[in-house]
Amino acid sequence: MKDQLFSLEGKVAVVTGGTSGIGLALSLGLAEAGADVIATSRRQQQVDDTAKEIEARGRRTLRLASDVGDRASLEELLVATLARFDKVDILVNCAGMIKRTPTLDLPEAEWNNILNTNLTGTLRACQVFGRHMLERGYGRIINIASLNSFVALSEVAAYAASKAGVASLTRSLAVEWSKKGVTVNAVAPGVFRTDLNAQLLDSTPRGRELLMRTPMGRFGKTEELVGAVMYLASDSASFVTGQILVVDGGFLASGVNQ
């Protein structure tokens, strides 16, 4: 019974932004938990490489690139997934971008691009796949929020606004959709080392401050997010909706660390 509560056997998951960094770790983690996983992003080569790793774990997948900024590409992804698998049980929204710019000098184009990807892109995917889930009467949507959903980090105002919006959108959709069998939650990662941010974390004053503010005294490993997403995607979380599950090594709990 315990194994069944957390099992994703027979489930079909779509992971946007699922071919690098945190998204890649979640795609592979869901596959290892038993789900067939369609990991998608804009770069076809990354899609192909991730598909090979999913198949190496004995799961089925598709090799389809998509862009959360392009609703038509998401609709095509849904159609192709239904043609192959007949359903989508789980949607994980990982696609995102960040750029550090002093807010006074922040161009509107940069602001719009970040909001369009991180917040509106999440909405698009929720709308496209959520409609199918609502028609079936079942679905698990997990968005990726951030520490920036709760606190500010210097000179990333657009990113912070987008992630605060993701947290609010998560609650709004939970209220609208939960009676129809679709739960909507989010995971808010703390500071996790990836290929993209390793130099910043290891070699800059900002990285040293982020480490100091994390009571565990280390950065997260991307695989440490898998359990939280597995839980929210599983039947063990059937009465959990509208929640933002923080996985941050104690960052938000921290006041004075020494």
Side-chain angles (χ1 to χ4, degrees):
M1 179 64 178
K2 290 181 180 179
D3 290 342
Q4 291 177 346
L5 276 176
F6 291 96
S7 173
L8 300 181
E9 292 282 346
K11 303 295 187 183
V12 177
V14 171
V15 185
T16 68
T19 64
S20 63
I22 288 171
L24 174 59
L26 297 181
S27 294
L28 300 183
L30 291 171
E32 289 171 357
D36 294 321
V37 181
I38 297 87
T40 185
S41 68
R42 292 181 298 172
R43 296 175 177 84
Q44 186 65 50
Q45 186 60 56
Q46 289 184 343
V47 171
D48 293 340
D49 292 343
T50 304
K52 291 177 184 177
E53 294 198 52
I54 292 168
E55 289 168 343
R57 287 159 172 78
R59 305 302 168 191
R60 298 178 298 166
T61 188
L62 292 175
R63 289 165 166 78
L64 288 176
S66 68
D67 182 353
V68 296
D70 178 0
R71 182 179 298 271
S73 76
L74 296 174
E75 292 171 342
E76 291 168 4
L77 178 65
L78 173 63
V79 169
T81 302
L82 295 182
R84 174 74 184 277
F85 298 101
D86 296 322
K87 62 176 183 171
V88 176
D89 301 292
I90 301 160
L91 171 67
V92 184
N93 286 309
C94 290
M97 63 182 299
I98 185 171
K99 186 175 180 182
R100 184 177 181 182
T101 305
T103 306
L104 195 61
D105 302 321
L106 178 64
E108 282 194 22
E110 181 178 312
W111 169 276
N112 290 338
N113 194 25
I114 291 172
L115 268 289
N116 184 51
T117 299
N118 297 357
L119 179 55
T120 312
T122 296
L123 171 66
R124 287 187 192 100
C126 287
Q127 287 178 323
V128 170
F129 288 90
R131 186 179 299 277
H132 161 72
M133 292 175 172
L134 291 165
E135 289 171 352
R136 285 186 65 221
Y138 180 91
R140 298 283 185 267
I141 297 175
I142 301 104
N143 298 322
I144 300 300
S146 169
L147 292 178
N148 275 139
S149 300
F150 307 98
V151 297
L153 303 183
S154 178
E155 298 182 340
V156 287
Y159 181 81
S162 73
K163 289 300 185 177
V166 167
S168 183
L169 175 64
T170 297
R171 289 187 287 265
S172 294
L173 295 182
V175 169
E176 290 189 42
W177 294 356
S178 295
K179 286 183 180 178
K180 300 175 183 177
V182 179
T183 65
V184 187
N185 294 287
V187 170
V191 187
F192 283 75
R193 179 184 279 105
T194 67
D195 291 341
L196 289 179
N197 68 11
Q199 191 278 332
L200 180 146
L201 295 183
D202 297 338
S203 307
T204 69
R206 190 180 184 91
R208 288 191 289 273
E209 182 176 354
L210 289 168
L211 184 62
M212 179 271 291
R213 289 175 177 270
T214 303
M216 280 194 177
R218 65 176 178 85
F219 300 123
K221 303 172 184 176
T222 53
E223 58 267 25
E224 291 178 299
L225 285 166
V226 172
V229 171
M230 283 176 54
Y231 164 65
L232 293 173
S234 72
D235 290 337
S236 59
S238 57
F239 199 57
V240 178
T241 197
Q243 299 303 304
I244 292 88
L245 177 53
V246 180
V247 184
D248 71 346
F251 190 106
L252 291 182
S254 177
V256 176
N257 289 337
Q258 54 189 336

